């Protein structure tokens, strides 16, 4: 049985996906994308060298882009200031009176909370947004 080059590339892509499913190594899925691109290059009639180059460039670029995206996500805000982790971040509270040093006591979720102003100007009574939470202290800003 004689297989054409496109079939071989599709089989390689399928094998990479199967190995990725067994191991959980997402980078193998990116390499499978490169093998699929090489299969498409074979369907277009490009030579073996062009197919290998296509697999290397597309698969390598996919791995690099995935790695960069993952690294950027890992550098996200710390948990105490990340709205994906702490649902209080971004909520607003009413401050009726500020104490010296930019501190206040606010009602939030039915309880009294300590609050601290994070801005550079002098705080005045009004509506503020929770930017972070440190223990039981809300860090507020406009």
């Amino acid at each position: 049985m004689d297989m054409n080059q496109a079939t071989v590339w599709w089989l390689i892509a399928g094998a990479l996906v199967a190995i990725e499913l067994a191991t959980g190594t997402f980078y193998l899925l990116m390499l499978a994308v490169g093998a699929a691109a090489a299969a498409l290059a074979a369907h277009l009639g490009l030579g073996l060298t062009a197919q290998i180059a296509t697999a290397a460039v597309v698969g390598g670029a996919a791995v690099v882009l995935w790695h960069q995206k993952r690294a950027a996500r890992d550098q996200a805000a710390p948990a105490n200031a990340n709205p994906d982790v702490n649902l209080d971040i971004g909520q607003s509270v009413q401050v009726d009176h500020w104490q010296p040093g930019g501190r206040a006591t606010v009602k939030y979720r039915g309880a009294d909370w300590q609050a601290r102003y994070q801005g550079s100007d002098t705080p005045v009574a009004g509506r503020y947004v929770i930017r972070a939470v440190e223990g039981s202290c809300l860090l507020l800003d406009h």
Side-chain angles (χ1 to χ4, degrees):
M1 178 172 168
D2 190 25
M3 289 190 278
N4 64 23
Q5 292 174 334
T7 303
V8 173
W9 283 112
W10 287 119
L11 289 172
I12 291 171
L16 287 169
V17 169
I19 295 169
E20 188 279 330
L21 289 172
T23 63
T25 306
F26 196 78
Y27 292 104
L28 288 176
L29 197 55
M30 300 294 103
L31 294 178
V33 169
L40 295 175
H43 282 298
L44 292 174
L46 298 178
L48 182 60
T49 303
Q51 294 170 27
I52 292 171
T54 299
V57 169
V58 172
V63 167
V64 168
L65 290 173
W66 177 255
H67 183 73
Q68 287 176 342
K69 180 181 175 185
R70 187 171 176 186
R73 186 188 70 213
D74 290 344
Q75 293 176 351
N80 71 335
N82 188 338
D84 294 330
V85 175
N86 188 334
L87 298 179
D88 295 325
I89 308 303
Q91 300 298 317
S92 60
V93 294
Q94 177 68 31
V95 178
D96 295 326
H97 173 72
W98 286 100
Q99 300 165 358
R103 296 197 172 269
T105 301
V106 297
K107 274 278 202 206
Y108 178 64
R109 291 193 288 148
D112 286 335
W113 288 69
Q114 293 300 311
R116 189 171 71 228
Y117 183 61
Q118 288 207 292
S120 57
D121 55 335
T122 304
V124 294
R127 208 96 177 119
Y128 287 84
V129 177
I130 300 170
R131 299 296 181 196
V133 179
E134 287 182 353
S136 63
C137 184
L138 305 174
L139 304 182
L140 307 179
D141 198 358
H142 287 287

